Amino acid sequence: MSSDNRGIESQQELSRLVAQDLHEALTDDADEIRFVLTMFVQYSQSSILLLRDGKKVGSLPEAGEIDSHAGSLREAMYTPQGGTWFSAVFQVFRDGRMKASYNYDEEPVVTDVRGRPRDIMPALYAKDLEVFPRSERATPAWLAAKVEAGRAQIAQIEADERARRAEG
């Protein structure tokens, strides 16, 4: 992670790019577009909903550049003490206003193709915390438990890989 991608100017520019991308994708039958994103270092899940008067009127299949800009924004918003967010909701309205909310502390909800909650591999949490370390104070208990399980998972995968290489 490069420190030149952090800072308020970078955050503002990346937020503007996310808002611009969403505004350009807003269809005529909607007055709001909502980008819902869960992101880790090696995983992301997103959806783009089109709304009129607060009710879903459609969705878009791909996030494209929006995912990339949001990933860069996640990196830019990282702080050594507080880490960075796990999920975010970006809302852009027909008049160009944008609202954004970021989840730094709650376990993110990831869903399967039917919209049912599913677990994320603990190793993803461990890898994410490796890249975006947090102070102990800013690490919720649920995250500490996931990271501990993830480190054990990674150690097992590495041991299995060493054993495979030794055999073959």
Side-chain angles (χ1 to χ4, degrees):
M1 171 179 35
S2 105
S3 62
D4 58 338
N5 191 31
R6 286 189 261 155
I8 194 72
E9 294 85 12
S10 181
Q11 291 174 31
Q12 289 173 335
E13 176 61 12
L14 291 163
S15 291
R16 187 193 66 73
L17 288 171
V18 169
Q20 178 181 317
D21 291 343
L22 289 169
H23 197 264
E24 288 172 1
L26 189 60
T27 60
D28 291 338
D29 62 338
D31 57 17
E32 176 189 342
I33 188 167
R34 190 174 297 169
F35 179 48
V36 181
L37 172 70
T38 296
M39 185 171 270
F40 294 89
V41 170
Q42 297 177 325
Y43 175 86
S44 72
Q45 181 181 62
S46 63
S47 63
I48 300 176
L49 306 174
L50 298 163
L51 299 106
R52 174 164 292 288
D53 299 322
K55 294 183 176 141
K56 182 179 171 184
V57 294
S59 61
L60 298 177
E62 289 188 24
E65 281 293 306
I66 303 169
D67 263 346
S68 175
H69 291 143
S72 295
L73 178 60
R74 183 174 189 255
E75 181 178 324
M77 292 177 75
Y78 167 75
T79 64
Q81 290 298 309
T84 194
W85 47 269
F86 298 109
S87 56
V89 177
F90 301 91
Q91 296 170 267
V92 174
F93 301 89
R94 173 122 350 252
D95 64 8
R97 289 178 297 122
M98 179 177 123
K99 290 183 182 178
S101 61
Y102 305 96
N103 168 27
Y104 284 79
D105 301 316
E106 301 297 319
E107 185 173 355
V109 176
V110 175
T111 58
D112 64 17
V113 294
R114 294 185 179 165
R116 295 178 300 210
R118 69 177 181 86
D119 290 330
I120 298 173
M121 272 181 50
L124 292 174
Y125 289 99
K127 183 64 176 171
D128 202 71
L129 193 64
E130 182 182 306
V131 174
F132 297 110
R134 296 170 165 238
S135 70
E136 196 172 313
R137 183 175 173 192
T139 304
W142 69 266
L143 178 57
K146 294 278 188 182
V147 168
E148 184 178 333
R151 288 178 178 151
Q153 202 173 42
I154 290 168
Q156 184 62 54
I157 291 167
E158 289 171 349
D160 292 348
E161 182 60 29
R162 282 192 302 275
R164 259 192 302 277
R165 277 189 252 136
E167 289 175 359

